[in-house]
Amino acid sequence: MGKLAAKLEKVTNNQEKKEKKIAEKSELTKEKMESKLNHAEENKKKHMDEVKEKISEHTSKIEKAQQALEAAIEAAKEATKAGLDEKMSKNEENKNEQLREMMNALTEHSDRIKNVRNNLDEKMKPKAQQILENMTKKEEAARELLAKQEAERKMKVEETKKKGDLVRMNKEKLAAEPSLTTESA
C-alpha cells in the first residue's frame, strides 16, 4: 500500500506539474495573442491615419486645381470680353469714318451741283432742274443705303454680342461641370 500511495502521490505530482505547464503555456499563448492583437490594432490605426492624411492631401490638391481652373476661366472670359470690345470699337470707328467720307463726298457733290446750277443760263434751267432732281434722288438713295448699312452694322454688332454671351455661358457650363465631377469623385 505504501507503494501505491507513493505512486498515487507521484501521479498526482506529475498531474499537477502537467497542469502547471499547460496553464503556463496557455498564459504565454494568451499573452502572445494579446500582444499580436494590440500590434494589429496599432497597425490598423496607423494605416487609417495614413489613409486619412492621403485623402486630406488629395482633397487639398483637388481644391487648389479647381481654384486654378476657375481663375483661368475668369481670365479667359476677361480676355475674350476685352478682345470683343476692342474689335467692336474698331468696327465702329471704321464705319463712322466711312460714313464721314461718304457724307463729305455727297456734300462736295452737292456743292458742285449747286455751283453748276448757278452757272447755267436760262436755256439750261429745265435740263439742270432734271439733273438736280436726279441728284437729289441719288442723294436720298445714298442716305437710305447709309441708313440700311448702319442698321446692318448694328445687327452684326448685336449678333457679335450674342455670340460672346453664348461663349461666356458655355464656358460657365464647362466650369460648372468639372466642379460637379470633383464633388462626386
Side-chain angles (χ1 to χ4, degrees):
M1 266 246 265
K3 278 187 176 183
L4 187 59
K7 280 189 179 182
L8 277 175
E9 192 175 313
K10 201 176 189 184
V11 169
T12 308
N13 281 343
N14 282 342
Q15 186 70 25
E16 286 175 5
K17 284 182 184 177
K18 192 175 185 183
E19 286 176 3
K20 265 188 181 179
K21 280 186 179 180
I22 290 173
E24 286 175 1
K25 276 190 176 181
S26 293
E27 187 64 31
L28 186 62
T29 304
K30 181 181 175 185
E31 287 176 7
K32 283 182 181 178
M33 291 298 277
E34 286 177 352
S35 173
K36 284 182 180 179
L37 185 62
N38 286 338
H39 186 68
E41 284 293 323
E42 288 173 5
N43 284 344
K44 181 179 176 183
K45 184 178 179 187
K46 184 178 176 183
H47 180 70
M48 288 299 285
D49 289 343
E50 288 174 0
V51 168
K52 285 179 184 177
E53 180 66 26
K54 285 180 182 179
I55 288 173
S56 176
E57 288 175 9
H58 185 67
T59 302
S60 175
K61 286 179 184 178
I62 288 172
E63 287 174 359
K64 286 179 184 177
Q66 186 174 1
Q67 289 172 351
L69 178 64
E70 288 172 359
I73 288 171
E74 190 61 34
K77 281 182 192 176
E78 292 300 321
T80 302
K81 183 179 178 186
L84 285 174
D85 289 345
E86 182 181 339
K87 199 173 195 179
M88 286 176 17
S89 176
K90 282 185 178 181
N91 284 342
E92 186 73 26
E93 289 174 11
N94 288 341
K95 292 293 181 181
N96 287 339
E97 184 61 31
Q98 286 177 352
L99 288 174
R100 268 189 244 114
E101 288 174 4
M102 289 179 85
M103 287 305 291
N104 286 341
L106 288 173
T107 304
E108 287 176 14
H109 189 67
S110 180
D111 289 345
R112 273 188 262 135
I113 290 172
K114 287 178 186 177
N115 194 15
V116 168
R117 186 181 60 190
N118 289 335
N119 292 333
L120 289 176
D121 60 11
E122 286 296 318
K123 293 178 186 175
M124 297 301 284
K125 273 190 177 182
K127 193 167 187 171
Q129 185 65 30
Q130 183 183 7
I131 291 172
L132 184 60
E133 287 172 2
N134 286 341
M135 292 310 292
T136 305
K137 287 178 185 176
K138 287 181 181 179
E139 285 179 5
E140 184 62 32
R143 283 189 195 103
E144 288 174 6
L145 178 63
L146 284 175
K148 181 179 176 183
Q149 288 176 344
E150 179 66 21
E152 288 175 0
R153 183 191 62 77
K154 284 182 180 179
M155 195 167 29
K156 285 181 182 178
V157 167
E158 191 63 34
E159 287 176 12
T160 304
K161 284 182 181 178
K162 285 180 183 178
K163 286 179 184 177
D165 290 342
L166 182 61
V167 166
R168 278 190 283 280
M169 286 174 31
N170 285 342
K171 286 185 179 181
E172 289 172 1
K173 275 186 184 177
L174 287 176
E177 287 176 4
S179 67
L180 288 176
T181 56
T182 55
E183 289 176 5
S184 63

